Amino acid sequence: MTATGATKVLAAISGGSETGVVLKTANGIARLIGMEVEAVHVSDGAQTTTDLGAETRAVGVRLHERQGPVAEQILDTLELPQVWGVVIGARMFMAGPRPAGSTALQVLRGTSKPLVFVPPELSLSSPFAPRRLLVPLDGSAEASKAFLEVEKRFQFDGDPEVVVLYTLDGLTPRMLDRPGYDLPIWGSEFVLRYCPGENRSFEWRTGNPASAVIEVAEGAASDLIVLSFGGNLEVGHGAVIREVLARSSVPVLILLVSRSASAG
């Protein structure tokens, strides 16, 4: 869910080594959806933000300084109607090859607005300009609508490339007599139904959905992974989200959607 009158993308910066890449990613996302960037830094009052002020001014970004619990302050800022969503470093996830704290998870649990998570090892020698998007879809109307609504905001100088991924998880769709032959046809129909638009391609995988996302993102040289989510982070689809965030080497945009209690 996003505010209709939103005009700002929030960059949540820590002052650590990932600050520069978070700012670059936020600028790229803002250009993608036609908005501006503002930064927020939360401290307990013990550290200076002088260098952060210089760093944000160098890229034309206004800096807001707040004090208090980090996740609480970020969530409070996200509630402002002019804020579309937040870009935040993903190094605080508790699972996967780079475990850390819980701030990012708290923000994900506490908001209904879009979040972009930036992997700590991401290196950007030039401005971030996402054009190759990987969009995993599960065949739900909610996930489809979430992506298509955001795509309406996209502003490109050229044509984007969208790879739609469907993971079978060991099960083939009904009515497929010859999966290896029929799946490409079924995939074309799936894209037309759930992700209509230009410059679409379809990929399918079996097995672990998170591994499928990582594999296809790497093979397609994706700039951005777009995931829809509306459930419990600890189980089911939430576990997939956590694994992707722990393993992805490119930014991940999470779109929060409303799901029924039985959806998981």
Side-chain angles (χ1 to χ4, degrees):
M1 180 183 299
T2 60
T4 303
T7 59
K8 308 289 185 183
V9 172
L10 186 69
I13 56 177
S14 66
S17 59
E18 78 283 359
T19 293
V21 76
V22 168
L23 287 170
K24 282 187 176 181
T25 302
N27 272 322
I29 294 295
R31 286 192 298 269
L32 178 66
I33 59 176
M35 295 188 183
E36 298 179 349
V37 178
E38 291 192 358
V40 61
H41 172 257
V42 183
S43 73
D44 58 7
Q47 66 182 100
T48 177
T49 58
T50 302
D51 292 338
L52 283 179
E55 191 166 2
T56 54
R57 285 194 300 273
V59 293
V61 172
R62 181 182 178 187
L63 175 64
H64 301 274
E65 301 178 38
R66 305 188 68 155
Q67 294 185 3
V70 178
E72 180 180 309
Q73 292 298 318
I74 293 173
L75 287 168
D76 186 56
T77 308
L78 267 171
E79 287 299 310
L80 298 173
Q82 66 267 33
V83 176
W84 174 82
V86 65
V87 179
I88 187 171
R91 67 187 180 87
M92 297 219 177
F93 276 85
M94 299 188 296
R98 44 174 186 260
S102 60
T103 297
L105 285 173
Q106 287 178 265
V107 175
L108 179 55
R109 286 189 177 104
T111 186
S112 61
K113 292 186 177 181
L115 300 95
V116 179
F117 293 96
V118 181
E121 73 277 12
L122 182 66
S123 177
L124 295 173
S125 58
S126 58
F128 179 62
R131 294 183 181 277
R132 296 182 298 273
L133 278 58
L134 175 61
V135 184
L137 294 175
D138 58 6
S140 69
E142 296 91 347
S144 174
K145 180 179 178 181
F147 172 70
L148 293 174
E149 285 295 319
V150 169
E151 190 184 31
K152 291 178 182 178
R153 296 178 177 264
F154 287 179
Q155 301 183 29
F156 286 101
D157 295 330
D159 294 327
E161 301 173 14
V162 176
V163 177
V164 178
L165 171 64
Y166 183 81
T167 304
L168 300 173
D169 202 14
L171 301 174
T172 58
R174 291 180 297 176
M175 309 301 292
L176 294 190
D177 296 326
R178 298 163 295 173
Y181 177 79
D182 293 338
L183 265 171
I185 299 173
W186 182 87
S188 297
E189 295 175 350
F190 182 89
V191 171
L192 285 173
R193 179 175 180 180
Y194 293 105
C195 196
E198 301 295 325
N199 298 313
R200 282 2 185 199
S201 60
F202 177 75
E203 293 282 344
W204 63 275
R205 294 292 188 275
T206 59
N208 181 347
S211 293
V213 171
I214 300 302
E215 174 190 333
V216 175
E218 291 176 351
S222 300
D223 301 311
L224 181 69
I225 298 170
V226 184
L227 296 173
S228 299
F229 173 62
N232 188 333
L233 270 173
E234 313 305 328
V235 296
H237 190 52
V240 174
I241 296 287
R242 288 178 60 137
E243 186 175 349
V244 170
L245 290 170
R247 295 173 57 189
S248 178
S249 60
V250 299
V252 180
L253 167 59
I254 304 290
L255 303 175
L256 282 297
V257 300
S258 297
R259 296 284 180 88
S260 63
S262 61

